[in-house]
Amino acid sequence: MTTMGAGMDGQVGRRRSALLAATALAAALALTGCGAGDSGAKDTDGSAAEAPAANGGEPGRDAAAGAPEGAGAGAPDLRVDQRAIIYTGTMRVQVDDVDSAAREATAVATRAGGFVGGDQRRSADDDAVAELELRVPAAKFTGVVEEITRLGRQQSREINTQDVTEETVDLEARITSQRARVESARRLLTRATSITDLVSLENELGRREADLASLEAKKRRLADLTALSTITVSLAGPKAKVAEEEPRTGFLVGLKGGWKAFVVSMTVLLTVLGALLPWLVAFGVPLVVLLVVLRRRRKTPALVAPVSAPPPVPATRSAP
């Protein structure tokens, strides 16, 4: 009995020791977690407190400013000055002296680094109109438009833009690829061993060089349009009339269109007749004369009348 009691007491002691050890381990883990949480909070608070001090006490603004910079690190540059944009403008300005205003508009374009691409004048009185085509650098486009507006009283203005960035990038890639194809054809041409291969490679090289020249011409055209903007300026005198847009529908519009079509058709018909008249005179008149002569010959009566046969004699009957 004594031995059994001792064994039971040993088992109970071991169980208590194990329970106490588990409890101590749980308490230690809880204390460690709390310490780590307090340390993380202190580090966060410390960094948050140091950030305002370093940035002038405005953490919200610095965070907002820093977020796009980190987010857009790999994004393409979409700034306006990095894009290829074609600017075109059309404007009409009423001025007191058309010639003087035209000279001033030309001077404005020249000062901006541009030139006059076209100059048309109509009349020299108060109803005179001058149409100028100005080519100015794209960076000076807005300034030139405003200076021309101050020459008189603006009647109309229309500004258009066309973004050709993607077209320019695509054209650059195609030019690079076409140059590689030209170089490849040239290398193959140096290795030609027969007349047939030589002629075939020369034709292929010529075709590729022509395609490359066409692509480079398009590139130069786009570069010219993006570098120099076009402004079409109409300078009208005090009594010049503004062209009003005519209605496109209605009975009168249809009648006017029909009359124009009739006049055009008659003009074409008369032109064709005028072109055929010499041929008709040269060949038609002799042919008509010949037909008339032949018809008259067919209708000429016979000179000798035909002899008619004598009437038949009735047979005599014998007496009964």
Side-chain angles (χ1 to χ4, degrees):
M1 294 292 292
T2 306
T3 303
M4 292 177 62
M8 293 179 64
D9 292 339
Q11 293 178 358
V12 172
R14 286 193 297 272
R15 290 177 180 177
R16 288 180 178 177
S17 299
L19 181 61
L20 291 175
T23 304
L25 181 59
L29 291 174
L31 292 175
T32 303
C34 293
D38 294 341
S39 176
K42 289 180 180 179
D43 293 340
T44 305
D45 294 342
S47 61
E50 291 175 359
N55 298 315
E58 297 184 6
R61 184 184 66 180
D62 297 332
E69 182 178 358
D77 192 355
L78 300 178
R79 294 178 299 175
V80 175
D81 57 350
Q82 299 297 326
R83 305 190 69 85
I85 301 177
I86 300 175
Y87 296 92
T88 56
T90 303
M91 55 191 308
R92 181 184 175 93
V93 180
Q94 188 177 24
V95 296
D96 296 332
D97 188 349
V98 173
D99 292 336
S100 177
R103 287 192 297 269
E104 183 61 27
T106 302
V108 170
T110 304
R111 287 195 300 267
F115 60 92
V116 179
D119 187 348
Q120 296 182 359
R121 309 288 179 93
R122 294 195 300 270
S123 182
D125 300 328
D126 292 340
D127 59 345
V129 177
E131 293 185 358
L132 306 178
E133 181 179 336
L134 307 179
R135 302 294 307 279
V136 297
K140 305 293 184 63
F141 177 79
T142 304
V144 171
V145 170
E146 294 300 330
E147 287 191 43
I148 293 176
T149 302
R150 291 192 288 269
L151 294 178
R153 295 170 294 280
Q154 178 178 274
Q155 294 181 337
S156 63
R157 178 195 294 189
E158 182 178 357
I159 306 298
N160 297 317
T161 60
Q162 181 182 1
D163 192 345
V164 293
T165 304
E166 296 182 0
E167 185 177 355
T168 303
V169 173
D170 178 69
L171 197 57
E172 288 283 354
R174 292 173 61 188
I175 289 175
T176 302
S177 176
Q178 191 64 24
R179 284 175 179 171
R181 295 184 63 192
V182 169
E183 292 299 328
S184 176
R186 288 175 178 172
R187 287 193 299 268
L188 292 175
L189 184 61
T190 59
R191 302 174 186 174
T193 58
S194 64
I195 299 299
T196 304
D197 294 341
L198 183 63
V199 173
S200 177
L201 289 173
E202 285 180 348
N203 293 334
E204 180 64 20
L205 178 60
R207 185 180 63 82
R208 294 185 180 185
E209 288 178 342
D211 293 341
L212 178 60
S214 177
L215 292 175
E216 290 178 343
K218 291 180 180 180
K219 178 184 176 181
R220 290 192 296 270
R221 176 60 177 169
L222 280 179
D224 176 70
L225 292 176
T226 53
L228 293 175
S229 302
T230 304
I231 307 174
T232 303
V233 183
S234 296
L235 301 173
K239 296 183 180 180
K241 296 181 180 180
V242 179
E244 298 181 357
E245 185 177 359
E246 298 180 356
R248 299 180 180 179
T249 58
F251 175 77
L252 295 178
V253 176
L255 181 61
K256 186 177 180 180
W259 175 254
K260 287 183 178 179
F262 175 75
V263 171
V264 171
S265 301
M266 291 302 297
T267 303
V268 173
L269 180 60
L270 293 176
T271 303
V272 174
L273 290 177
L276 294 177
L277 185 60
W279 299 91
L280 293 175
V281 172
F283 296 99
V285 173
L287 182 61
V288 170
V289 172
L290 180 61
L291 292 175
V292 171
V293 171
L294 292 176
R295 182 174 296 181
R296 287 183 178 179
R297 286 183 178 180
R298 290 179 181 179
K299 293 182 179 181
T300 301
L303 298 177
V304 180
V307 178
S308 59
V313 177
T316 59
R317 294 182 182 182
S318 60

